Amino acid sequence: MPASYAYLGPEGTFTEIALRTLPEAATRELIPYVSVQSALDAVRAGEAEAAFVPIENSVEGGITTTLDELVAGTPLMIYREVLLSITFALLVRPGTKLSDIKTVSAHPAAQSQVRNWLRTHLPDADWESAASNADAARLVQEGRYDAAFAGEFAAARYGLEALETGIHDFPETAQTRFVLVGRPARPAAPTGADKTSVVLWQRDDHPGGLRDLLGEFATRGINLMLLQSRPTGAGIGNYCFCIDAEGHISDRRVAEALMGLKRICLEVRFLGSYPRADVRPGEAEPPRPGTSDAEFVAAADWVARCQDGRF
Ligand SMILES: O=C(O)C(=O)Cc1ccccc1
C-alpha cells in the first residue's frame, strides 16, 4: 500500500483541491475522512502518514476545530501550508429554483463568507451546518437539504447543478489556508521564507502577561502572522495562544525567541517550521537590523570573550 494522506472529505472539498496542488500528493493515496478530528486521529494512530486540513480563512480567522486539535492531545507537527482562493457555488438538485430553497447547508466557516449573499437572495432559508462543504452537497443529493454552498467542481460528483457561481461576500480577497500535519520529526530545512507555529500557555495571570510573550518576538524583530486565543478548558478567562511567526526554528532569532518563551511560559508547544505559501523564497523581508544569524553569532562570541577577559 502506498503511503497515504488523510484529508477532510468527502470527495469534492476545497481541501481536496488544495491538497492536489502539492507535488507530493501525486505519489500518495489520498483518503477522505468525515471530519478534521478523524483525519488527525488517523495520523496519531499511524494509519496515515499525514493529514491535510483547513486551518484559517481570511474572513472567519482560525478554523477552531483544527486549532483545538493541534493544541491538545498527542503532539503533531505542520509540514506544509497551501493558500487557496475560493468562491462558492449554490448547488441544488436539478430543477430546483431559488424560490424552492428552504434549507441551505455548508461548513460553519463558510457561513460568514456568504452571509450578505444569503440575506439578499435567501433571507428566509434555514442554515444547517455540515462537516464540510462537500458533505453539505452530499446531503443535498440525499434530499436532506435543498441547497449547499460548495465548490462548483463538487456538482458533478454529487449529481447536482450550480444555480449560482462565484458567490462570496469578499470575492477579491477570500482565501483559505490549509496545512499538512504529521507526527513530529525534524522540520524541513529553511527556505528563506518560512513560518513557525507555536502554542503558548501563560505561567500566571498578571498585568502585561500577553505583552511579555509577544515581547520575546518583538525584541528579536520577528513579525507575527497569526495570533488566536483558544480557551484552555479550565474556565472563563483561561486561554492559550496560537501564534504563527515569521522565520524558521533554525534561524537564531527564532530559536532565541522560543528559548525566551520556554523560560517564561507554563508550556510551549512547537507546531513546526515550514515554507510560507504567501511569498516565494528570496522574496521574504530580510531580517531586521541586528537580528541576522551572523549578528547573533558575533554577539555570543563577544560575550564569550568578555567572560574570558579577552575583549
Ligand atoms: O474543504 C472544504 O470544502 C471545507 O469544508 C472546509 C472549508 C470551509 C470553508 C471554506 C473553505 C474550506
Side-chain angles (χ1 to χ4, degrees), residues 175-263:
Q175 284 194 313
T176 298
R177 190 164 70 91
F178 302 83
V179 286
L180 184 69
V181 177
R183 290 178 292 279
R186 179 185 287 271
T191 64
D194 303 283
K195 183 186 268 190
T196 293
S197 298
V198 288
V199 189
L200 308 176
W201 285 262
Q202 280 177 291
R203 197 188 291 278
D204 55 23
D205 188 23
H206 63 274
L210 178 58
R211 195 184 64 173
D212 291 347
L213 304 188
L214 300 183
E216 297 293 333
F217 295 104
T219 54
R220 295 168 180 99
I222 299 170
N223 201 26
L224 300 187
M225 307 163 98
L226 174 94
L227 169 61
Q228 176 116 22
S229 50
R230 293 298 304 148
T232 60
I236 290 280
N238 281 290
Y239 289 90
C240 60
F241 301 102
C242 300
I243 288 181
D244 285 355
E246 248 178 59
H248 192 280
I249 193 167
S250 66
D251 295 333
R252 281 293 286 263
R253 61 188 177 285
V254 175
E256 299 249 351
L258 295 186
M259 283 192 274
L261 291 165
K262 184 70 187 164
R263 281 187 286 101

Side-chain angles (χ1 to χ4, degrees), residues 8 13-15 54 86 88 107 109-110 113 132-133 176:
L8 173 65
T13 51
F14 288 106
T15 310
I86 61 159
F88 295 92
H107 186 277
Q113 302 170 46
S132 70
N133 302 309
T176 298

